[in-house]
Short mmCIF file of all heavy atoms in Angstrom, two decimals:
data_model
loop_
_atom_site.label_atom_id
_atom_site.label_comp_id
_atom_site.label_asym_id
_atom_site.label_seq_id
_atom_site.Cartn_x
_atom_site.Cartn_y
_atom_site.Cartn_z
N SER W 297 0.82 -1.20 0.00
CA SER W 297 0.00 0.00 0.00
C SER W 297 0.86 1.25 0.00
O SER W 297 1.99 1.25 0.50
CB SER W 297 -0.92 0.03 1.23
OG SER W 297 -1.83 -1.04 1.23
N LEU W 298 0.32 2.31 -0.55
CA LEU W 298 0.90 3.64 -0.50
C LEU W 298 -0.21 4.66 -0.32
O LEU W 298 -1.33 4.43 -0.77
CB LEU W 298 1.67 3.97 -1.78
CG LEU W 298 3.09 3.46 -1.97
CD1 LEU W 298 3.58 3.82 -3.37
CD2 LEU W 298 4.02 4.02 -0.91
N ARG W 299 0.13 5.76 0.32
CA ARG W 299 -0.80 6.87 0.41
C ARG W 299 -0.15 8.10 -0.22
O ARG W 299 0.88 8.57 0.26
CB ARG W 299 -1.19 7.17 1.85
CG ARG W 299 -2.17 8.34 1.98
CD ARG W 299 -2.62 8.56 3.41
NE ARG W 299 -3.47 7.46 3.86
CZ ARG W 299 -4.01 7.39 5.07
NH1 ARG W 299 -3.78 8.35 5.96
NH2 ARG W 299 -4.78 6.36 5.40
N LEU W 300 -0.76 8.59 -1.28
CA LEU W 300 -0.29 9.79 -1.94
C LEU W 300 -0.99 11.01 -1.36
O LEU W 300 -2.16 10.94 -0.98
CB LEU W 300 -0.55 9.73 -3.44
CG LEU W 300 0.02 8.53 -4.19
CD1 LEU W 300 -0.25 8.68 -5.69
CD2 LEU W 300 1.51 8.37 -3.93
N SER W 301 -0.27 12.12 -1.30
CA SER W 301 -0.82 13.37 -0.82
C SER W 301 -0.80 14.42 -1.91
O SER W 301 0.14 14.47 -2.71
CB SER W 301 -0.02 13.89 0.38
OG SER W 301 -0.07 12.98 1.46
N CYS W 302 -1.82 15.23 -1.95
CA CYS W 302 -1.90 16.38 -2.84
C CYS W 302 -2.13 17.59 -1.96
O CYS W 302 -3.26 17.85 -1.54
CB CYS W 302 -3.01 16.20 -3.86
SG CYS W 302 -3.27 17.61 -4.95
N ALA W 303 -1.06 18.31 -1.67
CA ALA W 303 -1.13 19.48 -0.81
C ALA W 303 -1.39 20.72 -1.63
O ALA W 303 -0.67 20.99 -2.60
CB ALA W 303 0.16 19.62 -0.01
N ALA W 304 -2.39 21.48 -1.26
CA ALA W 304 -2.77 22.69 -1.98
C ALA W 304 -2.35 23.93 -1.21
O ALA W 304 -2.35 23.94 0.03
CB ALA W 304 -4.28 22.72 -2.23
N SER W 305 -2.01 24.96 -1.95
CA SER W 305 -1.69 26.25 -1.37
C SER W 305 -2.22 27.34 -2.29
O SER W 305 -2.46 27.11 -3.47
CB SER W 305 -0.19 26.41 -1.14
OG SER W 305 0.53 26.34 -2.36
N GLY W 306 -2.39 28.52 -1.73
CA GLY W 306 -2.89 29.64 -2.51
C GLY W 306 -4.40 29.73 -2.58
O GLY W 306 -4.94 30.80 -2.90
N ASP W 307 -5.08 28.64 -2.30
CA ASP W 307 -6.53 28.61 -2.33
C ASP W 307 -7.00 27.36 -1.59
O ASP W 307 -6.22 26.41 -1.40
CB ASP W 307 -7.06 28.61 -3.76
CG ASP W 307 -8.48 29.13 -3.88
OD1 ASP W 307 -9.11 29.41 -2.84
OD2 ASP W 307 -8.97 29.25 -5.02
N SER W 308 -8.24 27.34 -1.23
CA SER W 308 -8.81 26.21 -0.51
C SER W 308 -9.21 25.11 -1.48
O SER W 308 -9.78 25.37 -2.54
CB SER W 308 -10.02 26.65 0.30
OG SER W 308 -10.69 25.56 0.88
N ILE W 309 -8.96 23.85 -1.09
CA ILE W 309 -9.38 22.74 -1.94
C ILE W 309 -10.89 22.64 -2.03
O ILE W 309 -11.41 21.99 -2.94
CB ILE W 309 -8.79 21.40 -1.46
CG1 ILE W 309 -9.22 21.10 -0.01
CG2 ILE W 309 -7.28 21.40 -1.60
CD1 ILE W 309 -8.87 19.70 0.44
N SER W 310 -11.59 23.25 -1.10
CA SER W 310 -13.04 23.21 -1.13
C SER W 310 -13.62 23.96 -2.32
O SER W 310 -14.80 23.83 -2.62
CB SER W 310 -13.62 23.77 0.17
OG SER W 310 -13.34 25.14 0.33
N THR W 311 -12.79 24.75 -2.99
CA THR W 311 -13.22 25.49 -4.17
C THR W 311 -13.25 24.61 -5.42
O THR W 311 -13.88 24.96 -6.41
CB THR W 311 -12.27 26.69 -4.41
OG1 THR W 311 -12.19 27.46 -3.21
CG2 THR W 311 -12.77 27.59 -5.53
N TYR W 312 -12.56 23.47 -5.37
CA TYR W 312 -12.31 22.68 -6.56
C TYR W 312 -12.74 21.23 -6.42
O TYR W 312 -12.78 20.66 -5.33
CB TYR W 312 -10.81 22.68 -6.88
CG TYR W 312 -10.21 24.05 -7.03
CD1 TYR W 312 -9.65 24.70 -5.94
CD2 TYR W 312 -10.20 24.69 -8.27
CE1 TYR W 312 -9.09 25.96 -6.08
CE2 TYR W 312 -9.65 25.94 -8.41
CZ TYR W 312 -9.09 26.58 -7.31
OH TYR W 312 -8.54 27.83 -7.45
N GLN W 313 -13.05 20.63 -7.55
CA GLN W 313 -13.04 19.20 -7.67
C GLN W 313 -11.58 18.78 -7.86
O GLN W 313 -10.86 19.37 -8.66
CB GLN W 313 -13.88 18.74 -8.86
CG GLN W 313 -13.81 17.25 -9.15
CD GLN W 313 -14.72 16.86 -10.28
OE1 GLN W 313 -15.85 16.44 -10.07
NE2 GLN W 313 -14.23 17.01 -11.51
N ILE W 314 -11.14 17.78 -7.13
CA ILE W 314 -9.76 17.31 -7.21
C ILE W 314 -9.74 15.91 -7.83
O ILE W 314 -10.47 15.02 -7.38
CB ILE W 314 -9.08 17.27 -5.84
CG1 ILE W 314 -9.12 18.65 -5.17
CG2 ILE W 314 -7.63 16.79 -5.98
CD1 ILE W 314 -8.37 19.73 -5.92
N GLY W 315 -8.90 15.75 -8.83
CA GLY W 315 -8.75 14.47 -9.48
C GLY W 315 -7.34 13.96 -9.40
O GLY W 315 -6.38 14.73 -9.28
N TRP W 316 -7.21 12.64 -9.44
CA TRP W 316 -5.92 11.98 -9.57
C TRP W 316 -5.85 11.31 -10.94
O TRP W 316 -6.77 10.57 -11.31
CB TRP W 316 -5.70 10.93 -8.48
CG TRP W 316 -5.34 11.49 -7.14
CD1 TRP W 316 -6.18 11.74 -6.10
CD2 TRP W 316 -4.03 11.84 -6.69
NE1 TRP W 316 -5.48 12.23 -5.02
CE2 TRP W 316 -4.15 12.30 -5.36
CE3 TRP W 316 -2.76 11.81 -7.28
CZ2 TRP W 316 -3.05 12.73 -4.62
CZ3 TRP W 316 -1.68 12.24 -6.54
CH2 TRP W 316 -1.83 12.69 -5.22
N PHE W 317 -4.78 11.57 -11.65
CA PHE W 317 -4.51 10.95 -12.93
C PHE W 317 -3.16 10.27 -12.86
O PHE W 317 -2.34 10.58 -12.00
CB PHE W 317 -4.52 11.99 -14.05
CG PHE W 317 -5.87 12.60 -14.32
CD1 PHE W 317 -6.36 13.60 -13.49
CD2 PHE W 317 -6.63 12.18 -15.39
CE1 PHE W 317 -7.61 14.17 -13.73
CE2 PHE W 317 -7.88 12.74 -15.64
CZ PHE W 317 -8.36 13.73 -14.80
N ARG W 318 -2.94 9.34 -13.77
CA ARG W 318 -1.66 8.64 -13.78
C ARG W 318 -1.21 8.39 -15.20
O ARG W 318 -2.02 8.25 -16.12
CB ARG W 318 -1.73 7.33 -13.00
CG ARG W 318 -2.69 6.30 -13.59
CD ARG W 318 -2.81 5.10 -12.66
NE ARG W 318 -3.56 4.01 -13.25
CZ ARG W 318 -3.79 2.86 -12.65
NH1 ARG W 318 -3.31 2.63 -11.42
NH2 ARG W 318 -4.49 1.91 -13.27
N GLN W 319 0.09 8.34 -15.38
CA GLN W 319 0.67 8.09 -16.69
C GLN W 319 1.76 7.04 -16.55
O GLN W 319 2.80 7.29 -15.94
CB GLN W 319 1.23 9.36 -17.31
CG GLN W 319 1.69 9.19 -18.74
CD GLN W 319 1.92 10.52 -19.43
OE1 GLN W 319 2.18 11.53 -18.78
NE2 GLN W 319 1.83 10.53 -20.75
N ALA W 320 1.50 5.87 -17.12
CA ALA W 320 2.46 4.78 -17.10
C ALA W 320 3.48 4.97 -18.22
O ALA W 320 3.20 5.67 -19.21
CB ALA W 320 1.75 3.45 -17.25
N PRO W 321 4.64 4.35 -18.12
CA PRO W 321 5.64 4.47 -19.18
C PRO W 321 5.09 4.04 -20.53
O PRO W 321 4.51 2.96 -20.67
CB PRO W 321 6.76 3.53 -18.72
CG PRO W 321 6.61 3.48 -17.24
CD PRO W 321 5.13 3.55 -16.98
N GLY W 322 5.24 4.90 -21.52
CA GLY W 322 4.77 4.60 -22.86
C GLY W 322 3.27 4.65 -23.06
O GLY W 322 2.79 4.28 -24.13
N LYS W 323 2.53 5.10 -22.06
CA LYS W 323 1.08 5.14 -22.14
C LYS W 323 0.57 6.57 -21.99
O LYS W 323 1.28 7.46 -21.52
CB LYS W 323 0.45 4.27 -21.05
CG LYS W 323 0.99 2.85 -20.97
CD LYS W 323 0.43 1.99 -22.08
CE LYS W 323 -0.98 1.56 -21.77
NZ LYS W 323 -1.49 0.57 -22.76
N GLU W 324 -0.67 6.78 -22.40
CA GLU W 324 -1.30 8.08 -22.22
C GLU W 324 -1.76 8.25 -20.78
O GLU W 324 -2.00 7.28 -20.07
CB GLU W 324 -2.49 8.23 -23.17
CG GLU W 324 -2.13 8.25 -24.64
CD GLU W 324 -3.32 8.49 -25.53
OE1 GLU W 324 -4.46 8.52 -25.02
OE2 GLU W 324 -3.13 8.66 -26.74
N ARG W 325 -1.87 9.49 -20.37
CA ARG W 325 -2.35 9.78 -19.03
C ARG W 325 -3.83 9.38 -18.92
O ARG W 325 -4.62 9.61 -19.83
CB ARG W 325 -2.18 11.25 -18.71
CG ARG W 325 -2.44 11.61 -17.26
CD ARG W 325 -1.68 12.85 -16.84
NE ARG W 325 -1.98 13.99 -17.67
CZ ARG W 325 -1.33 15.14 -17.62
NH1 ARG W 325 -0.30 15.28 -16.78
NH2 ARG W 325 -1.68 16.14 -18.40
N GLU W 326 -4.19 8.77 -17.80
CA GLU W 326 -5.54 8.28 -17.61
C GLU W 326 -6.08 8.68 -16.24
O GLU W 326 -5.33 8.90 -15.28
CB GLU W 326 -5.61 6.76 -17.76
CG GLU W 326 -4.84 6.00 -16.70
CD GLU W 326 -4.97 4.49 -16.84
OE1 GLU W 326 -5.48 4.02 -17.87
OE2 GLU W 326 -4.56 3.76 -15.91
N PHE W 327 -7.39 8.74 -16.17
CA PHE W 327 -8.08 9.08 -14.93
C PHE W 327 -7.99 7.94 -13.94
O PHE W 327 -8.12 6.77 -14.31
CB PHE W 327 -9.54 9.40 -15.24
CG PHE W 327 -10.42 9.48 -14.04
CD1 PHE W 327 -10.40 10.59 -13.21
CD2 PHE W 327 -11.27 8.44 -13.71
CE1 PHE W 327 -11.20 10.68 -12.10
CE2 PHE W 327 -12.09 8.50 -12.61
CZ PHE W 327 -12.05 9.64 -11.80
N ALA W 328 -7.79 8.27 -12.67
CA ALA W 328 -7.79 7.27 -11.62
C ALA W 328 -8.92 7.47 -10.62
O ALA W 328 -9.67 6.55 -10.33
CB ALA W 328 -6.44 7.25 -10.89
N ALA W 329 -9.03 8.68 -10.07
CA ALA W 329 -10.03 8.95 -9.04
C ALA W 329 -10.28 10.44 -8.94
O ALA W 329 -9.45 11.25 -9.34
CB ALA W 329 -9.58 8.40 -7.68
N ALA W 330 -11.44 10.82 -8.39
CA ALA W 330 -11.76 12.22 -8.19
C ALA W 330 -12.68 12.37 -6.99
O ALA W 330 -13.38 11.42 -6.60
CB ALA W 330 -12.40 12.83 -9.43
N ILE W 331 -12.69 13.57 -6.42
CA ILE W 331 -13.56 13.88 -5.30
C ILE W 331 -14.16 15.25 -5.53
O ILE W 331 -13.49 16.17 -5.98
CB ILE W 331 -12.79 13.80 -3.95
CG1 ILE W 331 -13.74 13.95 -2.77
CG2 ILE W 331 -11.66 14.82 -3.90
CD1 ILE W 331 -13.10 13.57 -1.43
N SER W 332 -15.44 15.40 -5.22
CA SER W 332 -16.14 16.66 -5.44
C SER W 332 -15.65 17.72 -4.46
O SER W 332 -15.00 17.42 -3.46
CB SER W 332 -17.65 16.46 -5.31
OG SER W 332 -18.00 16.06 -3.99
N TRP W 333 -16.00 18.96 -4.75
CA TRP W 333 -15.56 20.07 -3.90
C TRP W 333 -16.06 19.92 -2.48
O TRP W 333 -15.39 20.34 -1.53
CB TRP W 333 -16.04 21.40 -4.49
CG TRP W 333 -17.54 21.58 -4.44
CD1 TRP W 333 -18.43 21.25 -5.41
CD2 TRP W 333 -18.28 22.15 -3.36
NE1 TRP W 333 -19.71 21.56 -5.00
CE2 TRP W 333 -19.65 22.13 -3.75
CE3 TRP W 333 -17.95 22.68 -2.12
CZ2 TRP W 333 -20.67 22.60 -2.93
CZ3 TRP W 333 -18.97 23.15 -1.30
CH2 TRP W 333 -20.30 23.11 -1.71
N SER W 334 -17.23 19.33 -2.31
CA SER W 334 -17.80 19.15 -0.98
C SER W 334 -17.28 17.90 -0.29
O SER W 334 -17.46 17.74 0.92
CB SER W 334 -19.32 19.07 -1.08
OG SER W 334 -19.73 17.90 -1.77
N GLY W 335 -16.64 17.03 -1.05
CA GLY W 335 -16.20 15.75 -0.51
C GLY W 335 -17.28 14.70 -0.46
O GLY W 335 -17.01 13.56 -0.05
N GLY W 336 -18.48 15.06 -0.88
CA GLY W 336 -19.60 14.15 -0.78
C GLY W 336 -19.67 13.11 -1.87
O GLY W 336 -20.38 12.11 -1.71
N ASN W 337 -18.98 13.34 -2.97
CA ASN W 337 -19.01 12.42 -4.10
C ASN W 337 -17.59 12.03 -4.48
O ASN W 337 -16.71 12.89 -4.58
CB ASN W 337 -19.71 13.06 -5.30
CG ASN W 337 -21.17 13.34 -5.03
OD1 ASN W 337 -21.92 12.46 -4.61
ND2 ASN W 337 -21.59 14.58 -5.28
N THR W 338 -17.39 10.75 -4.70
CA THR W 338 -16.11 10.24 -5.18
C THR W 338 -16.33 9.40 -6.42
O THR W 338 -17.40 8.81 -6.62
CB THR W 338 -15.39 9.41 -4.11
OG1 THR W 338 -16.24 8.33 -3.69
CG2 THR W 338 -15.05 10.27 -2.90
#
């Protein structure tokens, strides 16, 4: 297991939908996960 962190500065994360994307070697970047601005939807 690993836990990745996305630390925000300059503005509150509550203003945004936050997504995680990933790009494997030789592959296109793809969607992994997202969370709504309220945190109520993943």
Side-chain angles (χ1 to χ4, degrees):
S297 297
L298 279 175
R299 180 176 291 180
L300 305 184
S301 298
C302 176
S305 61
D307 203 355
S308 173
I309 59 170
S310 65
T311 307
Y312 305 91
Q313 174 177 264
I314 303 297
W316 284 96
F317 293 79
R318 63 186 188 179
Q319 187 166 24
K323 309 284 282 187
E324 295 184 354
R325 190 154 57 189
E326 65 178 10
F327 168 77
I331 187 167
S332 64
W333 68 268
S334 67
N337 295 308
T338 58

